[in-house]
Amino acid sequence: MEHPGCAGGRGRVWGLADLGFSADACQCSRREPKNRVNCGFPGISGDECFSRGCCFDSSVVGVPWCFNPLPKQELEECVMEVSARKDCGYPGISPEECESRKCCFSDTIRHVPWCFFPISTEDCHY
């Protein structure tokens, strides 16, 4: 299924912006297939999936095609799987110190880097 205004291969639909969904492209395209949490039901269409506020990608077999996006971050460069974070600070670093290093800060998950390097958004797509 192709959706107007979408880039992607056969069967892939990333047209969230076309449907008023506020997720950044990175929130969907950077979600590792093995980490997808089902947000739909078997046979759900891309449009139905988007109306639930979810991402849709049918290009990977054996994983949910309708799935929850990665959490939104202040900057799109900071949206990534936790496993992709590369430490940019030290334990206890303040958000201000982290920002002065031109890095991303998120302290919502324990035992992972809270201050981490941003990554290019060139790989992000709808």
Side-chain angles (χ1 to χ4, degrees), residues 23-76:
D24 295 321
C26 293
Q27 287 180 266
C28 292
S29 64
R30 286 190 176 161
R31 172 69 78 188
E32 291 290 331
K34 67 180 181 182
N35 295 334
R36 291 180 180 176
V37 175
N38 200 346
C39 189
F41 52 86
I44 192 170
S45 71
D47 288 342
E48 289 174 297
C49 182
F50 298 136
S51 71
R52 294 170 171 242
C54 302
C55 304
F56 187 86
D57 175 8
S58 60
S59 69
V60 183
V61 178
V63 298
W65 290 356
C66 181
F67 54 96
N68 292 320
L70 287 167
K72 189 160 186 72
Q73 298 289 335
E74 188 172 328
L75 299 173
E76 196 170 15

Side-chain angles (χ1 to χ4, degrees), residues 63-119:
V63 298
W65 290 356
C66 181
F67 54 96
N68 292 320
L70 287 167
K72 189 160 186 72
Q73 298 289 335
E74 188 172 328
L75 299 173
E76 196 170 15
E77 294 85 2
C78 299
V79 174
M80 66 187 80
E81 293 273 0
V82 173
S83 61
R85 291 183 181 183
K86 303 290 183 230
D87 204 347
C88 183
Y90 52 86
I93 191 169
S94 71
E96 296 78 21
E97 172 68 17
C98 182
E99 184 178 311
S100 74
R101 295 172 178 225
K102 306 282 189 240
C103 292
C104 305
F105 186 87
S106 176
D107 61 0
T108 60
I109 302 172
R110 298 178 62 162
H111 309 296
V112 299
W114 288 358
C115 182
F116 50 97
F117 289 99
I119 53 180

